[in-house]
PDB file of all heavy atoms in Angstrom:
ATOM      1  N   ASP T 182     -25.501  -7.918  31.393  1.00 71.00           N
ATOM      2  CA  ASP T 182     -26.711  -8.599  31.854  1.00 71.00           C
ATOM      3  C   ASP T 182     -27.665  -8.935  30.709  1.00 71.00           C
ATOM      4  O   ASP T 182     -27.918 -10.091  30.423  1.00 71.00           O
ATOM      5  CB  ASP T 182     -27.423  -7.746  32.925  1.00 71.00           C
ATOM      6  CG  ASP T 182     -27.732  -6.322  32.445  1.00 71.00           C
ATOM      7  OD1 ASP T 182     -27.193  -5.918  31.409  1.00 71.00           O
ATOM      8  OD2 ASP T 182     -28.515  -5.632  33.126  1.00 71.00           O
ATOM      9  N   VAL T 183     -28.173  -7.910  30.056  1.00 68.00           N
ATOM     10  CA  VAL T 183     -29.170  -8.120  29.012  1.00 68.00           C
ATOM     11  C   VAL T 183     -28.745  -7.372  27.758  1.00 68.00           C
ATOM     12  O   VAL T 183     -27.824  -6.569  27.773  1.00 68.00           O
ATOM     13  CB  VAL T 183     -30.560  -7.603  29.468  1.00 68.00           C
ATOM     14  CG1 VAL T 183     -31.096  -8.425  30.617  1.00 68.00           C
ATOM     15  CG2 VAL T 183     -30.495  -6.135  29.853  1.00 68.00           C
ATOM     16  N   ALA T 184     -29.450  -7.660  26.678  1.00 69.00           N
ATOM     17  CA  ALA T 184     -29.159  -6.966  25.418  1.00 69.00           C
ATOM     18  C   ALA T 184     -29.433  -5.474  25.583  1.00 69.00           C
ATOM     19  O   ALA T 184     -30.352  -5.084  26.302  1.00 69.00           O
ATOM     20  CB  ALA T 184     -30.018  -7.535  24.300  1.00 69.00           C
ATOM     21  N   PRO T 185     -28.657  -4.623  24.935  1.00 73.00           N
ATOM     22  CA  PRO T 185     -28.874  -3.178  25.054  1.00 73.00           C
ATOM     23  C   PRO T 185     -30.175  -2.762  24.389  1.00 73.00           C
ATOM     24  O   PRO T 185     -30.695  -3.448  23.507  1.00 73.00           O
ATOM     25  CB  PRO T 185     -27.665  -2.583  24.330  1.00 73.00           C
ATOM     26  CG  PRO T 185     -27.234  -3.643  23.375  1.00 73.00           C
ATOM     27  CD  PRO T 185     -27.532  -4.951  24.045  1.00 73.00           C
ATOM     28  N   LEU T 186     -30.698  -1.624  24.826  1.00 83.00           N
ATOM     29  CA  LEU T 186     -31.841  -1.026  24.144  1.00 83.00           C
ATOM     30  C   LEU T 186     -31.376  -0.436  22.814  1.00 83.00           C
ATOM     31  O   LEU T 186     -30.192  -0.144  22.640  1.00 83.00           O
ATOM     32  CB  LEU T 186     -32.455   0.066  25.021  1.00 83.00           C
ATOM     33  CG  LEU T 186     -33.183  -0.426  26.275  1.00 83.00           C
ATOM     34  CD1 LEU T 186     -33.504   0.748  27.194  1.00 83.00           C
ATOM     35  CD2 LEU T 186     -34.448  -1.168  25.903  1.00 83.00           C
ATOM     36  N   PRO T 187     -32.296  -0.256  21.866  1.00 88.00           N
ATOM     37  CA  PRO T 187     -31.889   0.303  20.563  1.00 88.00           C
ATOM     38  C   PRO T 187     -31.211   1.665  20.728  1.00 88.00           C
ATOM     39  O   PRO T 187     -31.648   2.494  21.513  1.00 88.00           O
ATOM     40  CB  PRO T 187     -33.217   0.446  19.807  1.00 88.00           C
ATOM     41  CG  PRO T 187     -34.139  -0.530  20.457  1.00 88.00           C
ATOM     42  CD  PRO T 187     -33.734  -0.583  21.900  1.00 88.00           C
ATOM     43  N   LEU T 188     -30.138   1.852  19.978  1.00 94.00           N
ATOM     44  CA  LEU T 188     -29.446   3.135  20.000  1.00 94.00           C
ATOM     45  C   LEU T 188     -30.372   4.244  19.489  1.00 94.00           C
ATOM     46  O   LEU T 188     -31.252   4.003  18.660  1.00 94.00           O
ATOM     47  CB  LEU T 188     -28.203   3.072  19.115  1.00 94.00           C
ATOM     48  CG  LEU T 188     -27.065   2.194  19.614  1.00 94.00           C
ATOM     49  CD1 LEU T 188     -26.017   2.022  18.525  1.00 94.00           C
ATOM     50  CD2 LEU T 188     -26.439   2.793  20.856  1.00 94.00           C
ATOM     51  N   LEU T 189     -30.148   5.448  19.982  1.00 96.00           N
ATOM     52  CA  LEU T 189     -30.910   6.580  19.474  1.00 96.00           C
ATOM     53  C   LEU T 189     -30.702   6.740  17.972  1.00 96.00           C
ATOM     54  O   LEU T 189     -31.619   7.098  17.243  1.00 96.00           O
ATOM     55  CB  LEU T 189     -30.497   7.859  20.206  1.00 96.00           C
ATOM     56  CG  LEU T 189     -30.757   7.897  21.719  1.00 96.00           C
ATOM     57  CD1 LEU T 189     -30.279   9.226  22.290  1.00 96.00           C
ATOM     58  CD2 LEU T 189     -32.217   7.670  22.051  1.00 96.00           C
ATOM     59  N   ALA T 190     -29.478   6.460  17.521  1.00 96.00           N
ATOM     60  CA  ALA T 190     -29.174   6.593  16.090  1.00 96.00           C
ATOM     61  C   ALA T 190     -29.953   5.584  15.248  1.00 96.00           C
ATOM     62  O   ALA T 190     -30.219   5.826  14.070  1.00 96.00           O
ATOM     63  CB  ALA T 190     -27.674   6.430  15.852  1.00 96.00           C
ATOM     64  N   ALA T 191     -30.327   4.439  15.858  1.00 95.00           N
ATOM     65  CA  ALA T 191     -31.150   3.461  15.143  1.00 95.00           C
ATOM     66  C   ALA T 191     -32.605   3.914  15.099  1.00 95.00           C
ATOM     67  O   ALA T 191     -33.316   3.664  14.125  1.00 95.00           O
ATOM     68  CB  ALA T 191     -31.045   2.099  15.816  1.00 95.00           C
ATOM     69  N   LEU T 192     -33.044   4.606  16.156  1.00 96.00           N
ATOM     70  CA  LEU T 192     -34.423   5.098  16.211  1.00 96.00           C
ATOM     71  C   LEU T 192     -34.635   6.295  15.292  1.00 96.00           C
ATOM     72  O   LEU T 192     -35.706   6.442  14.700  1.00 96.00           O
ATOM     73  CB  LEU T 192     -34.779   5.510  17.647  1.00 96.00           C
ATOM     74  CG  LEU T 192     -34.863   4.426  18.703  1.00 96.00           C
ATOM     75  CD1 LEU T 192     -35.104   5.047  20.075  1.00 96.00           C
ATOM     76  CD2 LEU T 192     -35.960   3.432  18.370  1.00 96.00           C
ATOM     77  N   ALA T 193     -33.621   7.163  15.212  1.00 97.00           N
ATOM     78  CA  ALA T 193     -33.815   8.438  14.505  1.00 97.00           C
ATOM     79  C   ALA T 193     -32.522   8.915  13.870  1.00 97.00           C
ATOM     80  O   ALA T 193     -31.917   9.890  14.313  1.00 97.00           O
ATOM     81  CB  ALA T 193     -34.353   9.492  15.470  1.00 97.00           C
ATOM     82  N   PRO T 194     -32.071   8.237  12.805  1.00 96.00           N
ATOM     83  CA  PRO T 194     -30.808   8.654  12.176  1.00 96.00           C
ATOM     84  C   PRO T 194     -30.857  10.048  11.575  1.00 96.00           C
ATOM     85  O   PRO T 194     -29.817  10.625  11.268  1.00 96.00           O
ATOM     86  CB  PRO T 194     -30.585   7.589  11.085  1.00 96.00           C
ATOM     87  CG  PRO T 194     -31.938   7.000  10.834  1.00 96.00           C
ATOM     88  CD  PRO T 194     -32.679   7.076  12.137  1.00 96.00           C
ATOM     89  N   ASP T 195     -32.058  10.620  11.443  1.00 97.00           N
ATOM     90  CA  ASP T 195     -32.211  11.951  10.856  1.00 97.00           C
ATOM     91  C   ASP T 195     -31.875  13.065  11.838  1.00 97.00           C
ATOM     92  O   ASP T 195     -31.552  14.189  11.421  1.00 97.00           O
ATOM     93  CB  ASP T 195     -33.642  12.145  10.351  1.00 97.00           C
ATOM     94  CG  ASP T 195     -34.694  11.818  11.413  1.00 97.00           C
ATOM     95  OD1 ASP T 195     -34.532  10.798  12.119  1.00 97.00           O
ATOM     96  OD2 ASP T 195     -35.691  12.559  11.536  1.00 97.00           O
ATOM     97  N   VAL T 196     -31.926  12.786  13.166  1.00 98.00           N
ATOM     98  CA  VAL T 196     -31.678  13.856  14.152  1.00 98.00           C
ATOM     99  C   VAL T 196     -30.610  13.484  15.174  1.00 98.00           C
ATOM    100  O   VAL T 196     -30.333  14.260  16.086  1.00 98.00           O
ATOM    101  CB  VAL T 196     -32.978  14.254  14.902  1.00 98.00           C
ATOM    102  CG1 VAL T 196     -33.960  14.936  13.965  1.00 98.00           C
ATOM    103  CG2 VAL T 196     -33.611  13.042  15.581  1.00 98.00           C
TER     104      VAL T 196
END
Side-chain angles (χ1 to χ4, degrees):
D182 55 347
V183 294
L186 290 169
L188 291 169
L189 297 179
L192 293 175
D195 52 317
V196 292

